Amino acid sequence: MTVKTKTASGYGLRVSDHRVDESGDSDKRSPTARRMRADAVKNRARILAAAEEIFATEGVSVPIDRVAEKAGLGVGTLYRHFPTKEALFEAIVVARLETLLETVKAQREATDAGEALFSFLRAIAGQASAKRDLFEALGSAGIDIKSQCSEMMDEMKRNVDVLRQRAVDAGAMRSDVSTEEMFGLVMGACQASEHAGSEAASQRMVEIVCDGLRSPTATPLPGRTS
Amino acid sequence: MTVKTKTASGYGLRVSDHRVDESGDSDKRSPTARRMRADAVKNRARILAAAEEIFATEGVSVPIDRVAEKAGLGVGTLYRHFPTKEALFEAIVVARLETLLETVKAQREATDAGEALFSFLRAIAGQASAKRDLFEALGSAGIDIKSQCSEMMDEMKRNVDVLRQRAVDAGAMRSDVSTEEMFGLVMGACQASEHAGSEAASQRMVEIVCDGLRSPTATPLPGRTS
DNA sequence: TACTATACGGAACGTGCGTTCCGTTTGTCA
DNA sequence: TGACAAACGGAACGCACGTTCCGTATAGTA
């Protein structure tokens, strides 16, 4: 994941008392661990909200103090909840990826293989457009995405690859483009539209990529309908 | 242009004795100024070569010491030749842009409007593929490209826009995509291919974008041939 | 060969930023 | 309400990196 700043790398993660992020989100916790104090719960949520907005608009490289400030909290508090800037970022990206993962899985039910794939690509763009954080993370190909993210990315890729293969088989998409490349193109499209600002622009850009992905020359294999 | 690191901004450019980069490149110099010492000329070239390679492979955010090291020189020397990291980067990008500018202009002579545009897009990709520096610069839309670069970019955009308009008129390209968006898409394609590494991959990616740009629905206007 | 302007090298400086530390505040529970 | 663990705030720390400074080396010249 490697947050842009070089500094972040190789500092050694702190080993202090983060009883917070035991597994899932917000509130649920194993019976042994004590209950989180009410203010802590609220503040954690604030941090996530602030980070989400700031990372989205200004990219991952914003100083963490800005996030703390936006949340109306001190940096210390922020670090009590997330041991690392990267951990905070990851928490946000994971949430987004979860949404996308659901979308992919839903599309596996679709009958039109081509539409299934392309509408998923549009969904990615929807999640990523004007969210610098996301496409900074994904655009860099997940080469160095870590831990939770990397597992999710793998799962996502597997799922998307199914969609892709079906679309290829159905003759709805050219066969010489890998899933990674597809991701890259879509992220590129998002980035291309960033300056335009509007969500509409990014959808238009993605549409262009989709058009490029449909193999204009290949004709649907005989014997298949969708 | 804004080299990634925040630190770079707002330092105030040094005003010291840079009699070096009077106007153009390497050697030519106004008659009044003294001649550069031979070692200085050689070292300047070394710096440029080292920077070109390092920026290309590792992006603009590499520490400047790395460049100096690669050139086999001290940082002080480097700063004697280029007052700022940004200035060094600019010198390199300008050279690339010049090449591209020539290419655009050459394409204005072409008869096939569509091919003229698309082969220029391929040329951009050729210059940018595996050159992180360039598409970090261009991909970020030239929003904050400065000085020389910004003028060149403007000139480039004007020229490309001519190609684009012709292609649209000839029915070889959809009409709802701006020149900036086109750039963005091509840069995105380059980035998408970066992981694949091969130049071939990036050409394939660009081809996809080109396919997307040809308006699949629009039919050529009657009365035009190319 | 000696002299000097020019150029070089690299230690040192300043800043931004991630992270840590610790004294203070506050929610929770009896 | 009092006691105490939990949580907070923000000053302080350390590092990376851009840039500057200045003592030393050397090309050019007479």
Side-chain angles (χ1 to χ4, degrees), chain B residues 57-169:
Chain B
T57 54
E58 314 196 29
V60 251
S61 56
V62 289
I64 211 154
D65 310 36
R66 300 274 320 277
V67 176
E69 187 190 27
K70 173 132 202 151
L73 299 169
V75 262
T77 306
L78 195 150
Y79 274 94
R80 164 163 286 269
H81 288 279
F82 300 91
T84 261
K85 185 185 183 184
E86 208 169 302
L88 172 56
F89 183 49
E90 213 175 82
I92 290 173
V93 171
V94 163
R96 300 254 176 80
L97 287 184
E98 265 165 3
T99 307
L100 284 177
L101 208 48
E102 283 170 27
T103 311
V104 191
K105 287 178 177 167
Q107 290 297 347
R108 284 190 314 201
E109 316 297 328
T111 44
D112 182 332
E115 249 335 283
L117 178 66
F118 293 131
S119 76
F120 174 66
L121 294 186
R122 282 181 211 110
I124 296 187
Q127 284 282 322
S129 97
K131 308 263 172 60
R132 298 185 48 169
D133 51 357
L134 227 205
F135 61 72
E136 279 175 16
L138 301 188
S140 298
I143 277 189
D144 47 3
I145 291 208
K146 298 203 206 89
S147 65
Q148 283 192 70
C149 279
S150 93
E151 291 164 32
M152 298 197 61
M153 276 301 286
D154 282 352
E155 188 175 355
M156 179 121 124
K157 272 181 198 156
R158 273 196 306 277
N159 278 280
V160 175
D161 212 51
V162 171
L163 292 191
R164 188 185 67 82
Q165 196 54 56
R166 283 193 199 160
V168 168
D169 290 346

Side-chain angles (χ1 to χ4, degrees), chain A residues 20-29 44 91 94 98 148:
Chain A
V20 166
D21 40 359
E22 253 123 40
S23 57
D25 265 359
S26 49
D27 232 298
K28 57 183 173 188
R29 145 191 22 276
R44 187 186 162 90
V94 163
E98 266 165 3
Q148 282 191 73

Side-chain angles (χ1 to χ4, degrees), chain A residues 86-140:
Chain A
E86 206 168 305
L88 172 57
F89 182 49
E90 215 174 80
I92 289 172
V93 171
V94 163
R96 299 252 177 81
L97 286 185
E98 266 165 3
T99 307
L100 284 177
L101 209 47
E102 284 171 27
T103 312
V104 189
K105 288 179 177 169
Q107 291 296 348
R108 285 190 315 200
E109 317 296 330
T111 44
D112 181 333
E115 247 338 281
L117 178 66
F118 293 130
S119 75
F120 174 65
L121 294 186
R122 282 180 211 111
I124 297 187
Q127 284 281 322
S129 95
K131 309 262 172 62
R132 298 184 49 167
D133 52 356
L134 227 206
F135 62 72
E136 279 176 16
L138 300 189
S140 299

Side-chain angles (χ1 to χ4, degrees), chain A residues 36-55:
Chain A
M36 248 171 97
R37 251 168 59 172
D39 54 348
V41 174
K42 186 190 63 189
N43 285 340
R44 187 186 162 90
R46 273 195 189 186
I47 293 170
L48 279 171
E52 195 151 352
E53 180 167 341
I54 286 214
F55 283 155

